[in-house]
Amino acid sequence: MAMYMASNPFNHLLKPLNIDGQKYKYYDLVGLQDERYNRLPYSIRVLLEAAIRCCDNFHVKQEDVQNILAWEINQQSESGVEVPFKPSRVILQDFTGVPAIVDFAAMRDAVKKLGGNPEKINPLCPADLVIDHSVQVDFTRSGDALQKNQTLEFERNKERFVFLKWGAKAFKNTMIVPPGLGIVHQINLEFLGRVVFNTEGLLYPDSLVGADSHTTMINGLGIVGWGVGGIEAEAVMLGQAISMVLPKVVGYRLVGKVNSYVTSTDVVLTVTKHLRQVGVVGKFVEFFGPGVEELSIADRATIANMCPEYGATIGYFPVDEKSLLYLKQTGRNDKMLKYIEGYLKAVKMFRNYRNTDEDPVFSEVVELDLGSVVPCVSGPKRPHDKVPISEMKKDFLQGLTNKIGFKGYGIPHSKLDVQVPFEYDNKKFILKHGSVVIAAITSCTNTSNPSVMLGAGLLAKKAVEKGLSVLPYIKTSMSPGSGVVTYYLKESGVTKYFEKLGFDTVGYGCMTCIGNSGPLPGPVVEAIETGDIVACGILSGNRNFEGRIHPNTRANYLASPLLVVAYAIAGTVVIDFETEPIGQGSTGEDVYLKDIWPSHQEIQEVEQKFVIPAMFTEVYAKIQNGNEKWNALQAPDGLLYPWDEKSTYIKSPPFFNDMTKDLPSIRGIENGHVLLLLGDSVTTDHISPAGSISRSSPAARYLSERGITPREFNSYGARRGNDAVMARGTFANIRLVNKLIGKAGPKTIHHPSQEQMDVFDAAEKYLSENIPLIIIAGKDYGSGSSRDWAAKGPYLLGVRAVIAESFERIHRSNLVGMGIIPLQFVPGENAETLGLTGKETYFISLPDNVRAGQTIPVNIKDGRSFNVIVRFDTEVELTYFHHGGILHYMVRKMLENNEL
């Protein structure tokens, strides 16, 4: 896919490049001799290079190259200029990788049925799949927690792992990273990221898409990449270009230096809030200015990781000298470093952040003085709601009585001082509003950053030496992003202090950040429910949407690993660290946070001494070797997967059951009913939760009917290879608020019978009645993780259209990929202004020549009507819709071209 083609009209730019005695080739973008190139943002230069290298006047045309080159003018176009992009690779984690391999296996079956050659269904674009799933943490504060959890992980997920091992053999150009090594994004940063590809001597920029929204973490290393839906990632793997509107690029200028007590987490939470206010949805953000040099690559990656939370497509840091130093530190070889530097300098993609002459033209520029950043957390329900630590106590207490919302719980004044006594481990405790019950150092956001991990370790050391401890009922855990973290924490001597405070390493994966914290102690849950307590989770993650972290923690705050430890010691968020002690020392004296907070100099000295290249080399050597449990798995052979009809993990999806070679006709919606009437900020966690399966849910009933005990239910994330479970888990989040019901819970109304029932049961009844379904929602529908099942699930429920005030970028494309029509209210209108109750019957007619962005009427049976915008944003998306989805398009296209 990456190699140049004889038919490429830009082959005259293919030039030799000698680097340290080695001969390479590259497309010489400077050889365009076009002054516009020197003004392009560095991220746009990557798009341009890909278009030139992949130009075949079919997938990528000469006019596409010219459109990108003319970015400065075209980015101002109101209608948008559509361009193709062929990334260098695709990255998946097993939550998205399993469905991708399942779909590929099902596509092979469909192709065989249609008379084609199933062997041709193979990734053309290199695919790295990281098994970073972690089981629920059932064992904490014990030295063998890691071993127990990993054993449990293999017991619960053996079938999925065997399936992936089959996929590694059955599909070419696919690399599988075995379980137990870390989180996909951290492994991508520390090991998989190439920065510059070297394919048979041809050099070109590393670029990628990933089936997880936090793929953007790799932007911190100077690699253009972003999250797409799993459905779109599969199309890219099959050689399809991504069709995108040429984005605006916001220049984010950093100046100054961070103050003492400020961590990279504080910087990223500040940037997240700032960019949310600026408004960068659908845009690229590119960082520049002298302040960038003050940030390590890990700091930059932390900021880039949170890109989905501030809404941009990417948060990009062009490659500079620090990037090369990081590559060396993480064990990349000298030959690689030399061709990376040589190539990037040859095509003017290497930055000196202090040289303003290298600053490109941006759509707009915003600025942050790093010296203005203060210690902070974010929450209690959204990652962009920053709270300075100095205001944390006041902010939380105010939220208790605020009306229910992102900053409110609606607690009556009479219940503000409620205290619930309980007994745990033969000791008596009291739970109040603000009590911390979960404290987790977790996810790729911070665990890839040695400065905050070692900082937390040094804080733990000072705390233990002062005689401080953590209350035993608080569920503390540590799940590093890679084995390298464990290595340097141990070598620096801080591991034992973490463990004394209860932060044992319990596994390598997202864990608490994705909702896999495991159950809280029974007495704690009982106390929370008895007193209607607003209990708190503190985690070093990147998401804290309501219902995501744990059903019993209504307030969840994102924080640096240092503050996770601090709040765990305090046992409450209702504390002013400036004026109140964090606890009492072994001699009874008051100890304040400032007494145990490590200085920047202390942290830097430990990092320089203990974070060394040999650690990375040793840890990542295991990728090729696997581990004993992985190596012992016996996977089936063969081109087609031998589906087991009794399996509750891996099932052939029904997406291709009725597929024909011929293009289906466009169907409108007749007699459509509203399945759900939703408000603002409905996330993919609300639509398709990845956490535990409730015992009272339709999915639980399905599993129980097949002899699966509640202890074996596992999570929705683990069962993403089974459409029957995932359809039943769609809209199963207990925090989902359906206005047809008026309270939280996965329920809806079946309008013909006026019966209240589970969402899945209602949808199944509608399907039996041949009634198409519609979802009506508010702003930012589908925000959060780029979860393909948030589109696949509604499709299986019979949802044909979603009408919303606005859509999250990835989720909208996922809806298109599944053939669901995304419709947007015209500006100034929504369900409330139009008086829509969700009880109406809808008629939506799509013209045969429907256009991207066209305005069409929605008619209601009572005679009313209103206009909506058809959110097919590109001609390619229209083509996908005509075919019934991306995957159907890919199969038919290959059959047409005799590729199968």
Side-chain angles (χ1 to χ4, degrees):
M1 179 172 176
M3 291 302 290
Y4 54 91
M5 295 159 288
S7 61
N8 190 329
F10 292 97
N11 273 349
H12 66 280
L13 295 177
L14 195 60
K15 302 287 178 62
L17 185 63
N18 294 320
I19 301 172
D20 197 35
Q22 293 287 321
K23 293 182 180 180
Y24 302 95
K25 286 187 177 182
Y26 77 115
Y27 281 91
D28 181 13
L29 304 187
V30 179
L32 288 166
Q33 296 183 341
D34 193 317
E35 184 56 34
R36 292 177 298 177
Y37 179 71
N38 296 321
R39 297 199 299 271
L40 289 179
Y42 285 65
S43 51
I44 300 298
R45 297 180 196 189
V46 175
L47 300 187
L48 178 66
E49 190 283 337
I52 287 174
R53 174 169 40 87
C54 299
C55 187
D56 58 359
N57 277 323
F58 177 64
H59 291 105
V60 182
K61 301 176 182 177
Q62 282 180 273
E63 65 187 83
D64 296 320
V65 172
Q66 292 303 321
N67 281 337
I68 298 172
L69 197 54
W71 170 85
E72 197 171 338
I73 295 173
N74 287 336
Q75 56 94 17
Q76 300 174 17
S77 169
E78 288 188 12
S79 59
V81 176
E82 184 180 345
V83 296
F85 174 52
K86 281 199 170 187
S88 304
R89 60 187 173 101
V90 172
I91 193 164
L92 307 163
Q93 42 92 271
D94 61 333
F95 273 4
T96 50
V98 168
I101 301 298
V102 165
D103 288 350
F104 272 32
M107 285 174 76
R108 280 187 170 176
D109 292 342
V111 164
K112 184 178 180 182
K113 180 181 175 183
L114 293 171
N117 179 5
E119 190 174 4
K120 294 290 186 179
I121 298 291
N122 269 308
L124 300 176
C125 187
D128 301 317
L129 193 156
V130 181
I131 302 178
D132 68 351
H133 174 64
S134 292
V135 298
Q136 295 182 351
V137 186
D138 291 331
F139 313 97
T140 54
R141 298 199 176 195
S142 69
D144 60 354
L146 175 61
Q147 183 180 348
K148 285 183 176 180
N149 274 318
Q150 289 185 340
T151 298
L152 188 58
E153 182 170 22
F154 268 85
E155 288 175 0
R156 289 181 175 178
N157 299 292
K158 180 180 178 181
E159 189 176 341
R160 295 170 58 250
F161 293 168
V162 166
F163 174 72
L164 286 173
K165 205 166 183 181
W166 167 81
K169 293 189 296 182
F171 294 104
K172 301 171 184 175
N173 219 13
T174 302
M175 182 178 108
I176 305 264
V177 177
L181 287 172
I183 303 174
V184 57
H185 307 306
Q186 189 159 337
I187 291 177
N188 194 20
L189 187 74
E190 295 176 348
F191 178 74
L192 295 173
R194 283 80 156 173
V195 182
V196 170
F197 258 80
N198 174 10
T199 303
E200 298 177 19
L202 179 69
L203 301 180
Y204 53 96
D206 184 2
S207 62
L208 69 149
V209 291
D212 184 90
S213 53
H214 291 108
T215 299
T216 52
M217 184 170 180
I218 201 66
N219 300 163
L221 190 54
I223 299 173
V224 169
W226 62 85
V228 296
I231 305 155
E232 194 171 1
E234 291 170 28
V236 173
M237 289 164 68
L238 292 171
Q240 182 73 5
I242 287 176
S243 181
M244 60 186 293
V245 174
L246 200 60
K248 291 181 182 294
V249 182
V250 176
Y252 198 93
R253 188 169 188 265
L254 294 174
V255 298
K257 297 182 178 181
V258 295
N259 298 315
S260 183
Y261 299 111
V262 169
T263 69
S264 60
T265 312
D266 303 320
V267 174
V268 72
L269 295 179
T270 301
V271 169
T272 299
K273 181 177 177 63
H274 186 198
L275 284 173
R276 267 285 175 186
Q277 292 172 330
V278 169
V280 292
V281 173
K283 301 175 184 177
F284 283 10
V285 173
E286 187 167 307
F287 294 86
F288 74 111
V292 176
E293 288 197 352
E294 300 298 321
L295 303 176
S296 68
I297 298 302
D299 292 339
R300 299 175 195 180
T302 306
I303 294 170
N305 183 296
M306 290 289 279
C307 188
E309 281 64 56
Y310 46 82
T313 303
I314 64 172
Y316 185 65
F317 291 83
V319 176
D320 69 343
E321 291 288 350
K322 276 201 172 180
S323 310
L324 297 178
L325 290 173
Y326 177 83
L327 291 171
K328 186 172 184 177
Q329 182 191 39
T330 51
R332 271 74 162 202
N333 62 58
D334 288 340
K335 179 183 176 182
M336 180 181 180
L337 293 177
K338 286 175 181 175
Y339 71 65
I340 288 173
E341 181 177 7
Y343 167 75
L344 292 177
K345 286 183 175 178
V347 292
K348 293 189 176 181
M349 292 190 196
F350 195 87
R351 274 236 62 173
N352 176 353
Y353 285 101
R354 295 191 179 277
N355 184 355
T356 56
D357 291 340
E358 294 183 6
D359 291 349
V361 171
F362 293 111
S363 306
E364 62 177 302
V365 172
V366 292
E367 183 172 296
L368 175 68
D369 182 350
L370 293 173
S372 68
V373 178
V374 297
C376 57
V377 296
S378 190
K381 301 180 185 182
R382 295 190 301 187
H384 55 274
D385 290 337
K386 186 187 76 167
V387 185
I389 294 303
S390 58
E391 300 175 17
M392 177 66 159
K393 180 177 180 179
K394 177 183 175 182
D395 188 82
F396 177 81
L397 292 176
Q398 283 182 341
L400 289 176
T401 53
N402 286 349
K403 67 178 183 179
I404 294 175
F406 298 121
K407 282 283 190 178
Y409 302 96
I411 302 295
H413 283 84
S414 60
K415 295 186 177 181
L416 287 179
D417 297 323
V418 65
Q419 299 186 23
V420 181
F422 68 97
E423 192 171 295
Y424 177 74
D425 202 18
N426 297 319
K427 295 180 181 178
K428 294 185 177 180
F429 302 96
I430 293 176
L431 217 60
K432 310 174 185 178
H433 293 306
S435 291
V436 173
V437 294
I438 290 177
I441 298 174
T442 180
S443 101
C444 48
T445 316
N446 289 283
T447 61
S448 64
N449 194 324
S451 67
V452 289
M453 294 300 292
L454 288 167
L458 292 173
L459 187 146
K461 179 176 183 292
K462 292 171 183 280
V464 170
E465 289 172 347
K466 290 280 188 181
L468 300 177
S469 60
V470 174
L471 293 169
Y473 64 81
I474 297 177
K475 189 151 199 173
T476 48
S477 63
M478 180 189 291
S479 49
S482 80
V484 175
V485 179
T486 298
Y487 205 145
Y488 65 64
L489 291 180
K490 183 178 179 181
E491 290 298 308
S492 63
V494 299
T495 298
K496 62 182 178 182
Y497 300 104
F498 271 130
E499 291 174 349
K500 285 185 179 179
L501 294 179
F503 289 93
D504 293 80
T505 295
V506 294
Y508 298 91
C510 302
M511 288 195 168
T512 301
C513 190
I514 196 65
N516 283 344
S517 65
L520 292 173
V524 173
V525 173
E526 187 177 341
I528 291 172
E529 293 175 346
T530 298
D532 193 25
I533 298 291
V534 179
C536 297
I538 300 287
L539 64 150
S540 65
N542 45 34
R543 290 201 168 132
N544 55 342
F545 300 125
E546 194 173 19
R548 176 184 175 103
I549 306 305
H550 196 282
N552 296 113
T553 58
R554 287 154 71 185
N556 295 285
Y557 291 93
L558 307 182
S560 69
L562 292 89
L563 286 173
V564 170
V565 176
Y567 277 111
I569 293 170
T572 180
V573 300
V574 187
I575 180 174
D576 182 346
F577 283 129
E578 281 288 318
T579 61
E580 298 176 69
I582 193 172
Q584 279 67 49
S586 52
T587 59
E589 81 282 8
D590 284 343
V591 178
Y592 292 82
L593 181 57
K594 63 184 178 182
D595 299 329
I596 58 175
W597 195 273
S599 69
H600 280 174
Q601 184 178 351
E602 286 178 275
I603 296 170
Q604 286 173 356
E605 287 176 358
V606 175
E607 182 176 352
Q608 289 169 4
K609 185 176 181 181
F610 293 104
V611 183
I612 57 176
M615 292 181 176
F616 294 87
T617 303
E618 183 177 332
V619 167
Y620 285 111
K622 297 176 184 177
I623 281 185
Q624 303 300 329
N625 301 330
N627 58 57
E628 186 178 341
K629 290 186 175 68
W630 174 259
N631 294 336
L633 295 176
Q634 296 297 314
D637 294 310
L639 185 65
L640 302 177
Y641 186 71
W643 306 102
D644 179 0
E645 292 184 3
K646 296 180 180 178
S647 172
T648 56
Y649 276 101
I650 306 298
K651 182 175 175 289
S652 181
F655 307 138
F656 306 102
N657 285 359
D658 301 320
M659 184 179 174
T660 61
K661 284 186 179 181
D662 298 326
L663 203 65
S665 58
I666 287 184
R667 291 184 301 155
I669 294 175
E670 298 283 329
N671 194 39
H673 285 38
V674 175
L675 180 64
L676 296 158
L677 179 63
L678 305 169
D680 295 342
S681 297
V682 171
T683 71
T684 51
D685 287 293
H686 288 115
I687 304 168
S688 184
S692 58
I693 297 173
S694 167
R695 297 188 181 194
S696 60
S697 66
R701 294 198 298 272
Y702 171 85
L703 293 171
S704 296
E705 288 166 2
R706 282 150 184 81
I708 308 298
T709 65
R711 189 176 181 276
E712 300 169 313
F713 281 175
N714 212 327
S715 65
Y716 285 114
R719 292 190 180 274
R720 284 170 89 163
N722 186 307
D723 62 273
V725 172
M726 297 308 293
R728 287 164 173 79
T730 302
F731 298 110
N733 191 311
I734 62 170
R735 298 297 180 191
L736 178 76
V737 178
N738 176 15
K739 293 180 182 180
L740 294 175
I741 299 295
K743 61 181 180 180
K747 301 284 184 179
T748 195
I749 299 292
H750 175 253
H751 296 300
S753 67
Q754 286 299 297
E755 186 180 353
Q756 183 180 137
M757 56 183 70
D758 288 325
V759 174
F760 173 80
D761 294 335
E764 198 169 38
K765 197 170 180 66
Y766 279 123
L767 282 171
S768 69
E769 298 163 343
N770 292 316
I771 295 176
L773 297 175
I774 295 169
I775 291 168
I776 297 179
K779 299 183 182 72
D780 300 325
Y781 181 76
S783 56
S785 301
S786 55
R787 200 162 288 167
D788 57 346
W789 269 106
K792 289 178 177 177
Y795 168 82
L796 292 178
L797 295 187
V799 173
R800 297 282 309 286
V802 177
I803 307 175
E805 284 187 71
S806 62
F807 293 89
E808 193 276 338
R809 175 184 62 83
I810 299 174
H811 184 63
R812 186 200 60 78
S813 71
N814 269 342
L815 292 174
V816 175
M818 288 307 300
I820 295 175
I821 311 167
L823 301 171
Q824 188 165 309
F825 289 108
V826 297
E829 292 186 354
N830 56 35
E832 187 174 346
T833 63
L834 293 168
L836 305 179
T837 64
K839 299 175 183 178
E840 303 87 357
T841 300
Y842 291 82
F843 299 82
I844 305 171
S845 178
L846 284 178
D848 291 337
N849 60 344
V850 61
R851 304 183 311 276
Q854 183 176 353
T855 298
I856 64 169
V858 173
N859 298 306
I860 303 175
K861 193 173 184 178
D862 62 15
R864 290 180 292 160
S865 69
F866 59 94
N867 289 333
V868 292
I869 302 165
V870 180
R871 284 298 310 276
F872 300 130
D873 289 356
T874 66
E875 292 301 316
V876 171
E877 288 187 345
L878 271 173
T879 302
Y880 292 158
F881 175 72
H882 279 289
H883 280 264
I886 290 179
L887 301 182
H888 297 81
Y889 165 79
M890 291 304 304
V891 171
R892 289 194 183 99
K893 194 71 177 174
M894 289 180 175
L895 287 168
E896 277 178 28
N897 296 337
N898 295 317
E899 294 178 25
L900 298 179

